């Protein structure tokens, strides 16, 4: 008989938190490991953890461009991103080996029936961003919300790296969010939640909670349904 879980969540963990500058972010991942184990053991929560490629994918993209002498095409960029997520996912499956489903989800034409409390997922194929595949994951397993854990605390009304007066957004509708970011997906783009994924999430009426990954006490507030520092798209 499959175990009973009180609730299930999709976590999309940005690759920038896993491999921020070419090396694995060991200290954060140690904290994340303990945090997820606590949520499973104390609260009977189940997690589908989708990991991004982040800096690892960008390093390979930049190396490919230097070696070939030209920018890589979108298909090659996507494949590099897919395999970066799979390498990161294998690390997570190793860390959570005692609690995780043994196979990483990476073929979204199949719906598996894992019964473990942790399921690790990675990228699939060109044209499917990591945000989009996380949204498909939520759809496949009837999960109503996605926690998008990033290296920034909020979604802003403009890029805070370029505009010192950018304002954080606490709540925004899918209609307003999509009008802000547009409809075009570009591999390697850094939209808080990408345009193609946003279209599907809007159609599914999913709730996306965007927050900083390394503030895990704040993440716990979001899981508990409490007020948290971050942005809600719904």
């Amino acid at each position: 008989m499959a175990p009973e879980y009180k609730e299930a969540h999709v976590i999309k963990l940005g690759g920038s938190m896993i491999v921020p500058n070419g090396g694995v972010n060991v200290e954060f991942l140690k904290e994340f490991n303990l945090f997820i184990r606590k949520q499973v053991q104390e609260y009977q929560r189940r997690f589908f953890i989708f990991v991004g490629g982040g800096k690892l994918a960008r390093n390979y993209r930049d190396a490919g461009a230097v070696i070939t002498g030209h920018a890589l095409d979108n298909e090659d960029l996507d494949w590099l991103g897919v395999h970066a997520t799979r390498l990161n996912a294998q690390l997570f499956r190793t860390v959570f080996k005692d609690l995780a489903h043994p196979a990483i989800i990476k073929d979204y034409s199949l719906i598996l029936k894992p019964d473990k409390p942790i399921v690790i997922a990675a990228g699939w194929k060109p044209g499917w961003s990591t945000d989009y595949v996380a949204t498909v994951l939520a759809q496949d397993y009837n999960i109503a919300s996605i926690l998008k854990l990033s290296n920034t605390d909020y979604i802003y009304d403009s890029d805070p790296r370029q505009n010192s007066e950018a304002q954080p957004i606490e709540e925004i509708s899918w209609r307003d969010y999509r009008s802000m970011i547009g409809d075009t997906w570009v591999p390697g783009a850094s939209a808080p939640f990408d345009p193609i994924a946003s279209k599907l999430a809007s159609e599914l009426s999913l709730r996306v909670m965007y927050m900083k990954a390394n503030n895990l006490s704040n993440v716990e507030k979001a899981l508990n349904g409490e007020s948290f520092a971050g942005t809600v798209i719904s």
Side-chain angles (χ1 to χ4, degrees), residues 74-79 82 124-130 132-133 185-187 194 196-197:
N74 282 352
E75 182 174 5
D76 286 333
L77 290 174
D78 270 346
W79 273 123
V82 164
W124 184 14
K125 60 183 180 180
W128 291 56
S129 75
T130 53
Y132 185 80
V133 181
W185 158 246
V186 178
D194 89 66
I196 308 305

Side-chain angles (χ1 to χ4, degrees), residues 19-213:
V19 186
N21 296 301
V24 176
N25 191 352
V26 172
E27 289 308 311
F28 167 72
L29 294 182
K30 285 167 65 177
E31 294 177 6
F32 186 80
N33 174 36
L34 295 176
F35 173 78
I36 293 296
R37 289 176 181 277
K38 173 187 173 184
Q39 299 302 314
V40 169
Q41 293 163 4
E42 293 187 15
Y43 301 104
Q44 289 80 55
R45 287 173 171 147
R46 188 182 199 201
F47 294 96
F48 291 76
I49 303 174
F50 191 106
V51 294
K55 190 71 173 178
L56 183 63
R58 292 181 176 89
N59 285 344
Y60 276 96
R61 174 199 67 189
D62 294 345
V66 171
I67 294 165
T68 62
H70 59 77
L72 305 184
D73 63 35
N74 282 352
E75 182 174 5
D76 286 333
L77 290 174
D78 270 346
W79 273 123
L80 287 172
V82 164
H83 287 292
T85 71
R86 292 180 179 180
L87 181 58
N88 287 341
Q90 189 62 45
L91 172 61
F92 273 66
R93 203 207 67 78
T94 301
V95 168
F96 292 110
K97 187 173 183 178
D98 57 320
L99 295 177
H101 184 66
I104 294 168
I105 296 180
K106 55 189 177 182
D107 183 346
Y108 295 80
S109 64
L110 301 172
I111 300 178
L112 304 177
K113 295 182 179 180
D115 59 7
K116 295 288 188 178
I118 296 175
V119 182
I120 308 299
W124 184 14
K125 60 183 180 180
W128 291 56
S129 75
T130 53
D131 286 342
Y132 185 80
V133 181
T135 303
V136 171
L137 195 68
Q139 179 184 29
D140 287 347
Y141 292 95
N142 298 312
I143 298 172
S145 63
I146 296 174
L147 279 78
K148 175 75 182 277
L149 306 186
S150 183
N151 59 356
T152 55
D153 50 0
Y154 289 89
I155 294 172
Y156 288 77
D157 60 4
S158 59
D159 190 340
R161 295 170 297 183
Q162 301 177 8
N163 178 13
S164 61
E165 297 183 359
Q167 296 298 309
I169 299 169
E170 293 187 356
E171 292 189 29
I172 189 169
S173 67
W174 280 116
R175 178 179 178 180
D176 290 344
Y177 178 75
R178 292 181 62 202
S179 69
M180 184 173 72
I181 63 164
D183 297 318
T184 304
W185 158 246
V186 178
S190 57
F193 202 76
D194 89 66
I196 308 305
S198 296
K199 181 177 184 296
L200 178 59
S202 176
E203 292 169 355
L204 297 172
S205 298
L206 284 180
R207 187 170 186 255
V208 170
M209 295 177 282
Y210 181 100
M211 68 202 77
K212 200 163 189 176

Side-chain angles (χ1 to χ4, degrees), residues 154 170 207-211 218-219 221-223 225-232:
Y154 289 89
E170 293 187 356
R207 187 170 186 255
V208 170
M209 295 177 282
Y210 181 100
M211 68 202 77
N218 187 57
V219 175
K221 288 180 180 178
L223 290 170
E226 302 169 7
S227 178
F228 67 94
T231 302
V232 175

